[in-house]
Structure formats: structure tokens, C-alpha cells
Amino acid sequence: MIVLTEHQRRALEAYAALMVSFPQLFSGRHARPNVLDREALASYAEEHGVVLGVAADTPYVLFIVDLVESQMPDGRALRHPYLRVVSRAQLEGAVNVVVVATIEDPSLGTPGDVVLIEQERHAVGTWEIELPRGFGELGLTGEQNALRELEEETGYVGEKAHFLGSMHPDSGLTDERVSFYHVAVVRRVECRREPSEAIRGVKIASRARVWEMIRSGELRDGFTLQGIALFEKLGGCR
């Protein structure tokens, strides 16, 4: 008889439910397929003292530990756990966004300057200079999410959000797909930041200054680097 801890049991139950609700999470992966048999998963979890399945469930992401099979040079199949982080709202169709906002109205600053925020990031424990970004909100398009995030985090308002492209920022860890938008800022209102966001302030920087910060290491956020590069490549950042 297989004996599991409460955490192990709940993780596998949530995993089974996920297979039914979102089968696309388990498709593909031909080179390193998932082991999906419930008894095999439970047996491995008990024998190795690990948690397989949905190890943690937060409002934003699911921490999933799959059991996968890797082919060894001698032809044997080696079973081992593999962690991935799944974007929760994205499963339901929400669009995660990063916003490259530039000043359009001269009364707000120098046209073409880029809107940045300074925010304390918990994972690294430091203040980071970044483009505004956020998890997608269900029921809103990517364009709507981009305009909403920009206004909430900075108070800057645009009338349209222009799609620049989408990327997987870290395909080795997460399935998160991020869409990048450019917004021309035409006015400013009061910020409506979430209490949990540790944003110290808004910075406006010229394109030249942005690249100086990148070169010096003052600006090192990966999402921001991707957004600026996309904007530059498409001829918008001049």
C-alpha cells in the first residue's frame, strides 16, 4: 500500500484535475515525456520522498513538479522530477503585458522619452528600474491590459496600445508568454497602484539615457531589455 503525506496527496489530486481541465499542459514533450499514470506518480513520490504534481498554487502561478522520462545513451529511460511554473490567468486566456510608453504630449516632457518605474523586486531584494508590466486580467484584451497597467503604475495615459511582439522570457522555467506594447502618452492622472506593489516612483529617460543605463548595469531587468530591443528593432525608439 502506498502511503503519502497530505501534501503529496493533494498535489497529485490537483495534478489529475489539471490534466482534465487543461490537457494542453501535457501535450508535446516528445523528447522528455511526462509520466501521467497516477499509481506510478504516487509510487515515485513515496519512494523518493518528493512532492509531484501541483506543489504550490498561488493567485498568479502554479508550481508544478512533473515526473518525466529522459532517454539515456544506453537506451534506458531515466525517470526524474522536473519543475515548471505555469501562468495561472494565461490558462484562461489572459494576456501578460510589458509596456514601452513614450511621451507624446510636449506638456508632459520631451517627446520620445521613455516612461520607467523604480520598483523593489522581492526575488532579488533590490530596487530595479523597469518598464511597466503586469499579469493579464481576465476579460481584457492585451491592448486593454497594457493601457490599464500603464495608468495604474505610472498615472500616464495613452489612447492606443500598439502590439510589438510576444516572447517566452524564460522557456527553461515557465510557460509564461508576454506581449509587448507601445503606448504614446497623451495625459497624466493619479496613480492607482495596488498596495502590494513596492513602486518608489516614475522615471522619464531619453532613449540615449536608457541605453546608458543598460550599458552601465543600472537597468538590468530582462523584460525591459526585451521591450526596448523590440521597440528599437521596429523603428519606434528614435
Side-chain angles (χ1 to χ4, degrees):
M1 179 180 177
I2 297 174
V3 179
L4 301 177
T5 67
E6 183 68 10
H7 189 189
Q8 289 173 320
R9 184 182 64 78
R10 289 185 179 275
L12 287 176
E13 287 178 353
Y15 197 60
L18 209 59
M19 289 184 207
V20 175
S21 300
F22 301 102
Q24 70 272 21
L25 286 177
F26 304 91
S27 61
R29 299 168 176 82
H30 301 295
R32 192 168 46 219
N34 287 8
V35 176
L36 301 179
D37 179 76
R38 177 66 182 271
E39 186 172 345
L41 292 170
S43 177
Y44 189 98
E46 179 191 43
E47 180 182 353
H48 295 272
V50 298
V51 175
L52 297 175
V54 183
D57 183 346
T58 80
Y60 300 106
V61 298
L62 303 174
F63 291 87
I64 296 176
V65 183
D66 298 294
L67 184 63
V68 302
E69 287 189 344
S70 292
Q71 293 298 315
M72 304 298 288
D74 61 5
R76 291 181 299 113
L78 174 66
R79 290 186 172 183
H80 58 95
Y82 211 114
L83 171 69
R84 55 176 162 152
V85 180
V86 172
S87 180
R88 180 186 263 292
Q90 184 176 288
L91 284 174
E92 304 285 354
V95 181
N96 303 320
V97 298
V98 177
V99 187
V100 184
T102 57
I103 300 298
E104 178 80 9
D105 188 333
S107 67
L108 299 173
T110 303
D113 282 1
V114 180
V115 178
L116 302 165
I117 60 173
E118 189 173 15
Q119 182 169 8
E120 185 181 73
R121 286 299 183 184
H122 181 70
V124 291
T126 56
W127 291 94
E128 300 295 327
I129 299 173
E130 308 173 347
L131 292 172
R133 74 171 187 260
F135 288 103
E137 184 175 307
L138 289 173
L140 298 182
T141 65
E143 292 84 351
Q144 290 170 329
N145 270 316
L147 293 171
R148 176 185 61 83
E149 283 292 339
L150 177 64
E151 182 176 341
E152 287 182 359
E153 293 191 352
T154 71
Y156 283 104
V157 179
E159 295 178 348
K160 293 182 179 180
H162 300 278
F163 180 69
L164 297 174
S166 62
M167 297 183 180
H168 291 286
D170 187 355
S171 59
L173 177 63
T174 175
D175 73 338
E176 184 179 13
R177 185 174 60 256
V178 178
S179 293
F180 295 79
Y181 291 87
H182 171 241
V183 176
V185 171
V186 295
R187 66 180 188 277
R188 194 174 190 186
V189 297
E190 187 176 350
C191 299
R192 296 179 289 108
R193 296 170 186 152
E194 296 180 10
S196 60
E197 290 182 317
I199 297 176
R200 183 154 61 183
V202 177
K203 292 179 175 289
I204 306 297
S206 67
R207 171 185 176 265
R209 175 61 183 142
V210 169
W211 284 107
E212 285 175 8
M213 288 191 287
I214 292 172
R215 282 190 288 268
S216 69
E218 184 181 358
L219 194 161
R220 54 198 176 184
D221 170 62
F223 289 96
T224 300
L225 295 174
Q226 292 174 58
I228 294 297
L230 269 177
F231 192 39
E232 171 88 0
K233 182 66 175 178
L234 296 177
C237 205
R238 301 184 180 184

